[in-house]
Amino acid sequence: MKKKLGLVTSIVLAASLALTACGGGADTQNQAGSGASGGEKAKRIALIMRQNVGTFSAQYINGVKQEVEKNGGELTVFNADTDLSKMASNLDAAVNQNFDGILIDHGTAEALQQGTQKAVDKKIPVVLFDTDIKLPGVPVVEQDDNKLAELSLEKLAVDTGGKGNIVKIWVAGFAPMEKRQVTYEAFLKKYPDIKEIAAFGSATNNTALDTQAQMEAILKKYPNKGDITAVWASWDEFAKGATRAIQQAGRTEIKVYGIDLSDEDLQLIQEPNSPWVATAAVDPSNIGRIHAQTVFQKMKGEQVPDSVKLNPVLVKQEDLPKDKKVTMGDLSQYVQEWGK
């Protein structure tokens, strides 16, 4: 989940997806990179992912890949398909195979603290993304999750006049989600006339489709115009599912406010009468590039702060052109702060 956790070029999703390992351990390695120049042995980088779901993850991976190749390295992606025990096994495999650097995406201290400590003991540089492990000398790259939530929720409050019935889509067990929930709880206290009437959410291998089915059930439970004012989706996969359910039900008076952004999300936001009106985000490609850049800095012995925080931006439907489709690559033409 994300995140996510700043970061812009057009993305070739197929190339990104081709990187993804379908299981754990040595049998799942798919390497990418042209190797180091001048006969120097290429540095082997492992990307340990909790899951690879949706275009946000694809664009994040592509950003990692670009930076690894820029530094003459080789990338191997280990995808745990949401299984934390599998993620831990993948980390152990990367440590045992003596990778030169390890990137961890959306892990938990409970599952990965021991494996990360093993890597540190073997002097393998490790850099985290949106992961709650705290070890000296192990930097964490993170989106400002409290700010992401605040930007999207405050836009919801402005648009609704600070009142109405909302649906929250959120899932526990991810470090960025827990931070976003703290901001959400403060938001409800700040705006007592905004009422949560339903909450759901689960991270699966088909999150958007599963969310769509769950949102369809919510719409049937609240069938009348005015029953639901807005949906707050704490992840773009949630926002995609909710948006499609609302569109198919013809309930576009319900507005969606999300977190995270990808090319696919932009297309959905720009559809005529799309209920998805705003999302707070950091460029996923830039997240990937900074994540990889940081591990190369560690490998070179450079000083790196323990926290590398990326600033989010609110992207509003009203800021996007009506006569052309926008991609992540040219979003900065319409959203001034994007990519800075």
Side-chain angles (χ1 to χ4, degrees):
M1 329 233 132
K2 280 50 108 264
K3 286 224 200 293
K4 68 212 190 190
L5 230 130
L7 331 148
V8 189
T9 58
S10 297
I11 305 303
V12 182
L13 299 182
S16 299
L17 293 171
L19 284 170
T20 305
C22 58
D27 294 338
T28 67
Q29 293 184 31
N30 293 318
Q31 292 187 335
S34 55
S37 59
E40 182 182 344
K41 186 177 179 181
K43 298 298 184 182
R44 298 164 59 241
I45 307 299
L47 173 55
I48 312 298
M49 300 186 71
R50 183 166 177 174
Q51 61 182 0
N52 175 17
V53 174
T55 50
F56 183 97
S57 290
Q59 291 176 200
Y60 158 76
I61 293 171
N62 197 67
V64 173
K65 175 179 177 288
Q66 287 178 350
E67 190 65 26
V68 170
E69 290 182 340
K70 176 183 173 183
N71 285 274
E74 295 176 347
L75 177 67
T76 301
V77 181
F78 294 82
N79 177 23
D81 296 318
T82 75
D83 185 339
L84 281 170
S85 61
K86 184 177 178 181
M87 191 178 187
S89 296
N90 288 343
L91 175 57
D92 286 341
V95 173
N96 292 335
Q97 292 170 38
N98 294 308
F99 275 79
D100 296 295
I102 295 175
L103 304 171
I104 296 177
D105 170 36
H106 283 86
T108 68
E110 183 179 8
L112 303 180
Q113 185 93 15
Q114 186 174 2
T116 304
Q117 185 64 60
K118 288 180 184 177
V120 170
D121 292 343
K122 292 186 72 171
K123 302 191 184 312
I124 300 173
V126 179
V127 180
L128 315 171
F129 169 49
D130 275 355
T131 299
D132 62 353
I133 296 170
K134 297 189 187 308
L135 285 173
V138 177
V140 56
V141 175
E142 56 185 328
Q143 304 179 89
D144 188 335
D145 289 289
N146 299 109
K147 189 67 175 178
L148 283 165
E150 180 186 347
L151 286 171
S152 56
L153 287 165
E154 287 296 332
K155 175 61 174 168
L156 184 159
V158 168
D159 290 353
T160 61
K163 58 185 178 182
N165 297 327
I166 66 171
V167 174
K168 178 186 75 171
I169 313 179
W170 175 85
V171 63
F174 293 81
M177 290 291 181
E178 302 295 346
K179 295 173 186 175
R180 294 169 193 181
Q181 174 66 11
V182 170
T183 301
Y184 177 79
E185 290 172 352
F187 168 80
L188 290 182
K189 291 178 181 177
K190 181 178 178 180
Y191 297 98
D193 291 331
I194 293 178
K195 308 293 185 183
E196 178 191 296
I197 60 169
F200 68 92
S202 57
T204 70
N205 289 326
N206 296 290
T207 299
L209 284 174
D210 292 341
T211 301
Q212 182 174 340
Q214 291 172 294
M215 189 67 209
E216 288 169 353
I218 295 291
L219 293 172
K220 290 176 181 176
K221 184 177 179 181
Y222 298 95
N224 302 312
K225 186 174 181 178
D227 287 346
I228 302 172
T229 308
V231 173
W232 181 66
S234 58
W235 179 23
D236 65 330
E237 291 299 300
F238 291 152
K240 284 190 287 190
T243 296
R244 288 168 181 152
I246 290 168
Q247 286 174 318
Q248 290 185 15
R251 299 283 300 279
T252 54
E253 80 279 0
I254 301 169
K255 303 308 178 185
V256 176
Y257 300 82
I259 291 177
D260 294 335
L261 190 62
S262 71
D263 283 325
E264 183 183 4
D265 300 341
L266 275 171
Q267 291 178 14
L268 194 53
I269 291 168
Q270 285 193 277
E271 286 182 4
N273 299 316
S274 173
W276 191 353
V277 295
T279 195
V282 175
D283 181 359
S285 299
N286 202 33
I287 295 173
R289 285 194 290 271
I290 289 176
H291 197 186
Q293 180 186 82
T294 305
V295 83
F296 278 101
Q297 289 175 317
K298 290 286 293 182
M299 288 160 56
K300 293 172 185 175
E302 297 176 10
Q303 290 295 317
V304 178
D306 285 344
S307 176
V308 180
K309 191 163 283 192
L310 309 174
N311 293 321
V313 173
L314 183 67
V315 177
K316 304 186 292 292
Q317 185 186 67
E318 63 201 57
D319 293 335
L320 304 178
K322 302 290 190 295
D323 58 345
K324 63 171 288 188
K325 293 297 183 183
V326 175
T327 68
M328 301 288 277
D330 53 21
L331 184 59
S332 60
Q333 297 176 35
Y334 307 97
V335 182
Q336 188 175 8
E337 301 85 359
W338 187 257
K340 294 183 179 180

